[in-house]
């Protein structure tokens, strides 16, 4: 279901996506899909958590807590930036002046997370 949900995220709009379409792609009944994921939002949250599981862990006790938390938050943000299907940008915001050609990953790297 998670792989089918990620494929649907990448290939359809939020409005066009349904648990029925994800279930069909996964080869399960809609009732089975709803047993594990009561809503589209629950499925998207599971997909995000699954992608986060591949992010590096920052557990070096020789680093400060602040530095480990900052590095972890940075990596969590990059997971969202690297997977366009998880981005929730409306059309007007993405077409605002200055946004052409920018990428969420680049935006995150250029100062946002480097602030104290």
């Amino acid at each position: 279901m998670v792989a089918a949900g990620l494929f649907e995220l990448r290939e359809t709009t939020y409005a066009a996506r349904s648990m029925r379409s994800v279930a069909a792609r996964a080869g399960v009944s809609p009732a089975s899909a709803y047993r594990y994921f009561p809503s589209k939002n629950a499925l998207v949250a599971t997909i995000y958590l699954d992608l986060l599981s591949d992010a590096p862990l920052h557990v070096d006790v020789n680093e400060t807590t602040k530095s480990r938390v900052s590095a972890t938050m940075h990596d969590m943000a990059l997971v969202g930036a690297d997977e366009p299907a998880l981005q929730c940008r409306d059309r007007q915001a993405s077409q605002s002046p200055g946004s052409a050609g920018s990428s969420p990953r680049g935006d995150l790297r250029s100062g946002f997370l480097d602030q104290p």
Side-chain angles (χ1 to χ4, degrees):
M1 279 291 297
V2 173
L6 182 56
F7 185 86
E8 287 285 317
L9 274 174
R10 291 174 176 157
E11 299 297 319
T12 64
T13 64
Y14 184 82
R17 188 175 322 114
S18 70
M19 289 301 287
R20 282 188 181 280
S21 64
V22 174
R25 183 170 302 283
V28 300
S29 72
S32 292
Y34 279 110
R35 178 178 300 156
Y36 297 101
F37 305 103
S39 67
K40 289 190 287 189
N41 289 342
L43 177 59
V44 171
T46 300
I47 291 167
Y48 180 65
L49 289 174
D50 189 56
L51 293 170
L52 278 179
S53 69
D54 293 333
L57 295 176
H58 301 278
V59 295
D60 183 355
V61 295
N62 295 318
E63 294 290 328
T64 65
T65 301
K66 180 180 177 180
S67 124
R68 286 182 285 154
V69 169
S70 178
T72 299
M73 296 299 292
H74 182 261
D75 289 340
M76 290 173 69
L78 290 179
V79 166
D82 286 342
E83 186 54 64
L86 292 173
Q87 296 171 17
C88 297
R89 292 183 171 191
D90 67 33
R91 184 177 302 266
Q92 184 176 4
S94 66
Q95 293 177 350
S96 63
S99 67
S102 70
S103 72
R105 180 179 264 273
D107 293 346
L108 288 171
R109 288 206 184 273
S110 63
F112 173 71
L113 294 171
D114 296 330
Q115 307 273 326

